[in-house]
Amino acid sequence: MSKLGVDIARGVVKVVGKLPLKVHYVFADFVAWLAGKVIGYRNDVIMINLARSFPGKKYWELQKIRDDFYRHFAEIFTEALWFGASDYERLYKSGLVTVVNPEVLNRCLDESGSVTVMFSHCGNWEILGGFLGYRTATGEKVKMTEQQIKVVYKELHSAFSNEFFLRNRVAPLEEVGTECEIESSRILRHAIKHRGEKNVYIYIADQYPYMAAHDIGTFLNQKTPAMLGAAGVAAKMGHSVVYMKMKRVERGRYEMEFIPICMNASELTPEQITRRYFDLLEEEINQTPANWLWSHKRWK
């Protein structure tokens, strides 16, 4: 029943997703109004997170970030629906994402084995499967194939949600299948088995720890535990490591930028790599605060 339900849901997405992106943004305005003004979706969580993260801001400033977040959150949802019915050509023509400096990732691929990309809940993490269809600011293409992209994820409790989002995220790569997504509990074994290959492992690394955690110190003015999984695998395997920034420039436009952390992770400790990641993430959040997932219970 779960597979049939996912097939039906994906069929609906493919139909609805064919509508122009600007139509989806009209729907996003409604979703933002409903979530913020009617339901008050996780309002308490959002405001507590904001108040603790930005103790120097006035209440009206925090409310402004919250309202902007609701709009961004709604856009993530509607962009994901549109994305689920898209291919490379459509993604490129839309200009939804521009890769600012593809040469950084290319250099890592040339000079090291595999690459660990540490991402976050900034921008829209649901559209990573379109990576090779996005524009580049310099015209230089990213030197990798679909088979080299490995998005590391944590399996959801709901079998339906897990399968639906897996398939939606890799929609432009349907001919490759979901092997481009690897469940986090299998990632070390996969990296060891494929150590002779050049792959790009993408982790969303800012979640609240669901397993053994390390105290990284202060992040957004709060004592923060974090998992060392991404950095730990990178250090064991000697990967290069980059931070992937995804800045929301305006509605319908993101800029993706790669910031090097190290060229050989075995020369650093997982703690050092993870601390650098959170420093870069905090810098990004301070630049565009509404761009992060404030409704997540990051500190429990």
Side-chain angles (χ1 to χ4, degrees), residues 77-90:
F77 175 70
T78 54
E79 285 164 356
L81 292 179
W82 178 85
F83 175 85
S86 298
D87 53 27
Y88 283 162
E89 182 179 0
R90 193 180 189 215

Side-chain angles (χ1 to χ4, degrees), residues 89-261:
E89 182 179 0
R90 193 180 189 215
L91 292 171
Y92 184 84
K93 287 181 177 178
S94 73
L96 180 62
V97 180
T98 298
V99 182
V100 175
N101 56 346
E103 68 278 0
V104 170
L105 188 59
N106 288 340
R107 181 167 64 89
C108 290
L109 282 167
D110 288 340
E111 297 181 11
S112 68
S114 292
V115 183
T116 289
V117 176
M118 299 183 73
F119 189 38
S120 71
H121 287 93
C122 284
N124 191 338
W125 56 94
E126 293 292 343
I127 59 176
L128 290 178
F131 195 89
L132 298 182
Y134 295 137
R135 296 180 183 179
T136 61
T138 62
E140 180 177 346
K141 301 296 183 182
V142 176
K143 298 177 183 178
M144 65 178 173
T145 66
E146 289 92 341
Q147 288 80 7
Q148 289 175 282
I149 301 174
K150 310 295 178 184
V151 179
V152 183
Y153 73 98
K154 176 69 173 74
E155 186 172 341
L156 301 175
H157 294 299
S158 165
F160 172 85
S161 297
N162 191 69
E163 181 65 18
F164 175 79
F165 283 113
L166 277 177
R167 289 173 59 182
N168 198 74
R169 288 170 189 152
V170 299
L173 311 176
E174 285 186 330
E175 72 280 4
V176 178
T178 57
E179 282 301 308
C180 58
E181 292 212 342
I182 303 170
E183 211 281 327
S184 57
S185 63
R186 298 191 295 112
I187 184 56
L188 180 57
R189 291 194 297 272
H190 183 280
I192 293 173
K193 181 179 178 180
H194 297 273
R195 68 189 313 156
E197 303 173 6
K198 286 195 174 188
N199 291 318
V200 177
Y201 295 98
I202 304 175
Y203 298 77
I204 298 179
D206 59 343
Q207 306 103 311
Y208 182 82
Y210 50 84
M211 54 188 296
H214 172 75
D215 181 4
I216 62 161
T218 300
F219 166 63
L220 288 176
N221 202 49
Q222 298 166 81
K223 185 177 180 181
T224 301
M227 293 177 292
L228 301 180
V233 173
K236 283 184 175 69
M237 306 305 297
H239 294 176
S240 55
V241 182
V242 298
Y243 174 82
M244 186 164 74
K245 179 179 180 179
M246 194 173 188
K247 178 182 177 182
R248 182 185 181 279
V249 180
E250 60 185 14
R251 168 168 280 186
R253 278 192 60 216
Y254 294 98
E255 288 184 349
M256 187 180 286
E257 179 183 0
F258 297 105
I259 302 173
I261 292 179

Side-chain angles (χ1 to χ4, degrees), residues 52-79:
R52 291 175 177 172
S53 298
F54 305 114
K57 290 188 181 295
K58 296 181 173 59
Y59 186 66
W60 68 266
E61 292 177 300
L62 301 179
Q63 287 181 308
K64 175 67 165 55
I65 296 173
R66 178 202 59 192
D67 294 344
D68 289 344
F69 162 74
Y70 277 131
R71 282 190 288 273
H72 172 56
F73 187 68
E75 288 169 8
I76 290 173
F77 175 70
T78 54
E79 285 164 356

